Amino acid sequence: WNAFYDSQQGTLQWAQMVWAGHSQGAGLTATLAIDRPLARGVLFANGLLDSQPTALTPSSRMYTFYHQQDRLVTFMPAVNEKLGLAQFG
């Protein structure tokens, strides 16, 4: 666990962590990726973001997955745009 927690400083090593989540968990992962510099963020059928984020995790280290025919996640293209991921398709 020392790779993820600095016991001397009592802090988490966010840049060493990969977070992934589905649906609401993907929204949490996106929030963490905005607030923390994660090693990677993986979003499965992510929830909608209300604001234009300035993420500490670069878009090149973020991934989103959803089925284009899923009627419940029709907002995913907008989420990808807000996270700077639309350029990757």
Side-chain angles (χ1 to χ4, degrees), residues 28-38 41 54-58 62 83:
L28 173 60
T29 299
T31 301
L32 286 171
I34 291 166
D35 293 341
R36 310 284 183 192
L38 303 179
T54 301
L56 293 179
T57 302
M62 296 288 295
L83 289 173

Side-chain angles (χ1 to χ4, degrees), residues 3-68:
F4 306 106
Y5 181 73
D6 184 339
S7 60
Q8 302 247 335
Q9 295 183 5
T11 58
L12 295 173
Q13 301 299 308
W14 294 100
Q16 303 300 317
M17 296 182 191
V18 175
W19 283 76
H22 175 261
S23 192
Q24 187 174 2
L28 173 60
T29 299
T31 301
L32 286 171
I34 291 166
D35 293 341
R36 310 284 183 192
L38 303 179
R40 295 274 188 277
V42 185
L43 316 174
F44 298 95
N46 182 31
L48 186 62
L49 298 172
D50 292 328
S51 63
Q52 181 72 28
T54 301
L56 293 179
T57 302
S59 59
S60 62
R61 296 194 323 230
M62 296 288 295
Y63 302 89
T64 60
F65 298 92
Y66 66 100
H67 195 284
Q68 291 180 336

